[in-house]
Amino acid sequence: MELKNKQILVIGAGIMGAGIVQIAAQSGHSVLLFDQKEGAAEQAIENIKKIFASLIKKEKLTETNAQDTLSRIQTITTINQASQVKLVIEAIIEKLDIKRTLFKELESIVAKDCVLATNTSSISVTAIANGLQNPERLVGMHFFNPVPLMKLVEVVSGLQTSSEVASDIYDLSTHWGKTPVHAKSTPGFIVNRIARPFYAEALALIQEQVSSIQVIDACIKSVGFRMGPFELMDLIGHDTNFAVTSSVFEAFFYDRRFTPSIVQKELVDGGLLGRKSGRGFYDYAEGAITPKLPEFHPSPLNNTRTVIIHGDNHLTAYFSNQLHQLEVPFTQEKESAWLGLEVDGFQLRQTDGQTATSLGSHVAVFDVCLQDQNKTVIAWAIAENSSTEWAQEAPSWLHHLGFKPIRIQDSPALIVARTLAMLINEACDAVTQGVCSKDATNQAMKLGVNYPAGPFEWLDKWRSTQVLQIINQLDLNYKGERYRSSPLLQRLNLL
Ligand code: NAI
């Protein structure tokens, strides 16, 4: 059924409901708004007026446009007044029994062809539909906060949702200027599930004291993320972030892949919730000092060494270009089993998941870099019993090749490789399980959490063999279920 320009009812006038009302009215719908709390709906409209006033000031909206839009919004005092609507979007409290009761009540008010959508972020759409007379018309319409700015809508189908209803909501979202993606109702849907390792790996690294929060954030940002995991968790709020992780963990029957972190739980228990409480991983008090990244003083370049480039990909092409510019003579072993540089028998290898310690005292490992390398902060590590000369020289080579090297404790897959491999692995699992397509995954992660690229776009740049190797090394190292490789990643590796 065509939903464009039809009358809509939004239930729940909180942060999400108000945003949904705004964009629906701006797209030309007549919108009814109901909230059980007295005055909440009116307050939401006041807030929309304030947003419009600021948009008018910035000349992004005309006065007439704002008035027209506001004239299409009407508050109601009982949902019985909404019998004619063709779509209901529910954005009330996140409680299964309350949502179920509301939808059952709605079925006795609206017509049979009225679509029922829920903005739930964590409850099974299948479960919300349980007990409805027409469960096929209930669908998830998962917006992201702030609704007017965030482009993504996850259109979530429960077991009984009809494909027609899901496709109507998909089309409507497009009409509203959003980018919808289809998802199957599974814990965390797409974004909240695939993003878990972004936080989990950073928290594990800090728990193992591999490096500092500043260094981990800097390394992750060096591959294009707008915020590092600690900055982002502080922004989201540790209570919220921990609750989402815990709910996904529980919903997957305590699959250890999703185990929450005691580091984060301590922060929650201590009320150190992030920006909103003034302190989380970082201190937001006025005048608080953020520690600087460690400085590295490189040794001068020694171009009398025997230098060999190992491997053949975009990184070694970059190395060879840089060495030419530095006038360092070198040879290349394109068929080598590892990627990096050999200098007089000492190795500087891009991590494949093995620790430097396990490779030997003549080896230093450095992290994966997918961006334009120049001036990229990059983590590197070396065995504790390595020679002091190589411990100074290895990062000096990284420096001369155009990186900003930062030493971290030796650990499998360092920082970026570990995080990206786990994000890719989780995305592969979601696709394996039919939760979403590869394209939907890429779109969802770029638009829902501002990732610089989608997991399958990273995979295109990075060979699946390398990703699988990293996951397998993590698995070997930690021996648990958390780092088990996805069947899809294994299959891609065989192609
Ligand atoms: P909120 O707490 O800001 O607003 C909820 C509103 O619903 C309140 O005004 C409350 O009075 C009203 N309400 C509660 N029970 C009601 C009922 N039975 N009938 C009518 N009104 C009722 O919550 P928020 O953040 O807007 O979230 C709403 C829904 O959207 C939840 O399901 C949440 O999980 C989901 N969501 C939230 C996101 C967020 O970032 N806040 C993102 C995506 C989804």
Side-chain angles (χ1 to χ4, degrees):
M1 188 183 66
E2 175 75 76
L3 289 170
K4 274 180 224 160
N5 301 322
K6 296 283 182 342
Q7 191 179 46
I8 292 179
L9 165 65
V10 175
I11 308 181
I15 180 116
M16 296 305 285
I20 297 166
V21 166
Q22 183 190 323
I23 60 161
Q26 282 181 309
S27 305
H29 295 262
S30 142
V31 188
L32 303 179
L33 174 60
F34 173 76
D35 195 292
Q36 69 172 19
K37 192 172 149 209
E38 217 185 298
E42 289 71 19
Q43 185 56 52
I45 293 177
E46 283 310 308
N47 294 344
I48 295 173
K49 282 184 185 162
K50 280 187 201 147
I51 293 170
F52 284 177
S54 107
L55 290 175
I56 291 167
K57 221 170 159 186
K58 292 183 198 154
E59 296 187 356
K60 288 186 173 165
L61 189 72
T62 65
E63 186 77 48
T64 328
N65 222 317
Q67 283 311 324
D68 279 357
T69 303
L70 288 166
S71 72
R72 285 192 284 272
I73 307 171
Q74 190 191 330
T75 62
I76 54 174
T77 50
T78 152
I79 50 173
N80 290 320
Q81 292 168 263
S83 57
Q84 302 303 315
V85 300
K86 293 294 177 209
L87 167 67
V88 179
I89 305 177
E90 166 275 309
I92 66 165
I93 187 170
E94 189 74 341
K95 288 253 160 50
L96 173 60
D97 53 338
I98 301 182
K99 287 191 195 279
R100 258 188 198 155
T101 309
L102 175 67
F103 281 114
K104 276 188 194 156
E105 191 185 346
L106 278 166
E107 277 201 315
S108 66
I109 297 168
V110 297
K112 258 214 163 94
D113 62 353
C114 172
V115 172
L116 304 177
T118 170
N119 183 44
T120 180
S121 51
S122 63
I123 303 174
S124 151
V125 172
T126 308
I128 296 174
N130 186 353
L132 291 187
Q133 287 163 30
N134 294 101
E136 70 284 352
R137 62 162 147 172
L138 187 106
V139 63
M141 192 178 191
H142 184 212
F143 290 90
F144 289 74
N145 187 15
V147 178
L149 299 182
M150 297 297 283
K151 286 268 175 211
L152 184 68
V153 176
E154 291 178 337
V155 179
V156 186
S157 291
L159 275 183
Q160 303 194 74
T161 307
S162 84
S163 53
E164 208 187 342
V165 164
S167 105
D168 286 345
I169 291 296
Y170 187 99
D171 292 345
L172 184 70
S173 306
T174 310
H175 176 60
W176 288 2
K178 300 293 178 195
T179 306
V181 290
H182 283 293
K184 193 163 88 177
S185 178
T186 46
F189 310 138
I190 306 177
V191 172
N192 279 339
R193 171 205 184 141
I194 295 176
R196 289 345 301 153
F198 186 71
Y199 315 108
E201 297 313 313
L203 290 163
L205 286 165
I206 223 62
Q207 189 173 6
E208 292 168 26
Q209 305 198 63
V210 171
S211 191
S212 68
I213 53 169
Q214 288 84 6
V215 169
I216 296 170
D217 276 348
C219 288
I220 294 287
K221 284 193 285 188
S222 77
V223 286
F225 287 88
R226 285 189 209 169
M227 297 180 93
F230 297 105
E231 291 168 341
L232 185 55
M233 282 184 274
D234 270 4
L235 179 73
I236 294 169
H238 292 285
D239 48 348
T240 307
N241 193 255
F242 185 75
V244 176
T245 306
S246 303
S247 95
V248 171
F249 180 51
E250 193 186 326
F252 274 112
F253 305 115
Y254 305 101
D255 182 339
R256 290 187 52 198
R257 162 110 15 113
F258 302 103
T259 309
S261 165
I262 56 166
V263 174
Q264 191 170 42
K265 180 154 190 303
E266 276 291 286
L267 290 176
V268 175
D269 289 348
L272 306 172
L273 304 180
R275 278 178 186 268
K276 64 184 172 190
S277 72
R279 208 178 133 191
F281 282 110
Y282 293 94
D283 189 350
Y284 298 93
E286 240 187 81
I289 298 163
T290 306
K292 290 210 169 86
L293 292 177
E295 290 209 1
F296 171 66
H297 303 286
S299 313
L301 186 73
N302 179 348
N303 57 8
T304 63
R305 300 302 190 91
T306 307
V307 176
I308 307 168
I309 291 180
H310 283 257
D312 183 21
N313 75 347
H314 67 279
L315 177 75
T316 58
Y318 172 79
F319 276 11
S320 113
N321 197 19
Q322 293 294 97
L323 291 179
H324 276 304
Q325 287 189 21
L326 294 166
E327 298 181 354
V328 174
F330 65 92
T331 54
Q332 186 163 5
E333 282 185 22
K334 291 193 172 181
E335 303 302 321
S336 177
W338 54 275
L339 288 165
L341 213 64
E342 185 181 332
V343 181
D344 282 353
F346 286 94
Q347 297 179 1
L348 182 56
R349 298 164 64 129
Q350 185 170 61
T351 181
D352 62 2
Q354 299 180 79
T355 58
T357 309
S358 70
L359 290 164
S361 58
H362 62 301
V363 178
V365 289
F366 63 94
D367 212 346
V368 157
C369 44
L370 299 174
Q371 288 276 95
D372 179 14
Q373 278 81 18
N374 221 1
K375 298 279 177 279
T376 298
V377 171
I378 198 158
W380 71 279
I382 197 163
E384 274 173 31
N385 63 351
S386 71
S387 78
T388 40
E389 289 80 21
W390 187 231
Q392 170 64 21
E393 206 182 326
S396 298
W397 279 99
L398 285 173
H399 169 88
H400 296 303
L401 288 166
F403 298 97
K404 283 189 180 170
I406 299 183
R407 185 171 177 174
I408 64 169
Q409 291 296 320
D410 190 21
S411 65
L414 306 180
I415 297 171
V416 172
R418 175 174 175 158
T419 307
L420 294 191
M422 282 298 280
L423 287 170
I424 293 170
N425 197 47
E426 197 50 52
C428 285
D429 252 7
V431 171
T432 301
Q433 293 160 12
V435 175
C436 45
S437 67
K438 289 183 188 173
D439 283 348
T441 307
N442 287 336
Q443 288 282 27
M445 302 317 285
K446 286 191 286 188
L447 298 176
V449 267
N450 289 322
Y451 284 6
F456 292 99
E457 290 169 341
W458 287 319
L459 192 56
D460 284 343
K461 285 198 193 172
W462 202 4
R463 292 184 200 135
S464 51
T465 335
Q466 286 174 282
V467 180
L468 185 61
Q469 213 172 7
I470 283 170
I471 298 289
N472 286 343
Q473 284 298 333
L474 285 162
D475 195 27
L476 258 176
N477 194 80
Y478 292 103
K479 296 191 179 68
E481 299 148 48
R482 177 157 164 160
Y483 298 100
R484 65 177 186 268
S485 58
S486 163
L488 175 60
L489 194 58
Q490 292 169 23
R491 278 203 303 279
L492 289 172
N493 189 50
L494 299 174
L495 293 177

